[in-house]
Amino acid sequence: MRKQNNTFWYDGPREMLAKLDREINALATVGRLDNHRKADTVLNAAITAWQLTDWVKSTMTPAQQSRVEAIFGKSTPLDKLFRSDLNLHICRQIATAGKHAGIKQHHDPYVQTKAALIFDFESSQPALEWMLSVDHRDTHVTVNEVLGGARDFWSKFLDVMDGHRLTWY
């Protein structure tokens, strides 16, 4: 018998990771100039990527905790581990700003979202290129790089947690 669930059929981190995969895949289907749908999809994916931290912490069994500690050490708090990943940090900034109409705590002024109209020479059409700017690292990364990096982090972490992976790198 399933427990009462307020999130449809999602009852664990693996289901949320699958949701993140679907959101990333949906981004590829958005029309080149459909800026509202792109922003919606990016925001939803960033929220899912960051909220996986809560799903992991609230569903982790003692056996899974032991496997994580074997890789990262007992003295490494999960929050610190999650916040140390740049892609998750960026997703956290986007998710928090989307939820609270801005960021009051843990604000990183160097993380900014931007959209630029570019000309795609391959298709000879204009297109919106969605960029996330991380100015203090002198880097500009695409939303696909950030969301893909967050997905890869969670895929590896869940494999460690479930005992399918014995090392982090």
Side-chain angles (χ1 to χ4, degrees), residues 118-138:
I118 62 164
F119 186 78
D120 183 347
F121 290 100
E122 194 172 298
S123 67
S124 299
Q125 298 290 318
L128 282 175
E129 180 66 30
W130 289 73
M131 302 297 287
L132 293 167
S133 174
V134 186
D135 293 332
H136 70 301
R137 291 181 178 83
D138 257 350

Side-chain angles (χ1 to χ4, degrees), residues 26-94:
L27 188 58
T29 68
V30 176
R32 294 176 159 278
L33 297 176
D34 192 348
N35 58 348
H36 287 101
R37 194 162 154 236
K38 272 190 180 180
D40 292 348
T41 306
V42 170
L43 180 59
N44 290 340
I47 290 169
T48 301
W50 179 245
Q51 290 305 310
L52 264 156
T53 61
D54 293 330
W55 281 85
V56 165
K57 291 186 293 186
S58 67
T59 62
M60 188 178 288
T61 66
Q64 291 171 324
Q65 179 73 34
S66 294
R67 287 191 284 269
V68 168
E69 288 173 353
I71 301 292
F72 299 105
K74 281 188 174 191
S75 62
T76 303
L78 288 178
D79 286 334
K80 183 178 181 180
L81 175 67
F82 299 153
R83 289 179 182 149
S84 68
D85 182 82
L86 178 61
N87 296 307
L88 289 184
H89 170 71
I90 293 170
C91 288
R92 178 186 188 197
Q93 295 290 301
I94 296 169

Side-chain angles (χ1 to χ4, degrees), residues 106-125:
H106 311 291
H107 177 246
D108 184 345
Y110 300 106
V111 175
Q112 300 175 7
T113 58
K114 299 176 181 181
L117 189 61
I118 62 164
F119 186 78
D120 183 347
F121 290 100
E122 194 172 298
S123 67
S124 299
Q125 298 290 318

Side-chain angles (χ1 to χ4, degrees), residues 1 15 18-19 24 31 34 46 52 66 68 73 75 97 110 131 142 150 153 162-163 165 168:
M1 181 175 184
E15 287 86 5
K19 178 181 180 289
I24 291 169
D34 192 348
L52 264 156
S66 294
V68 168
S75 62
Y110 300 106
M131 302 297 287
T142 67
F153 174 91
D162 293 337
R165 183 184 187 101
W168 184 244

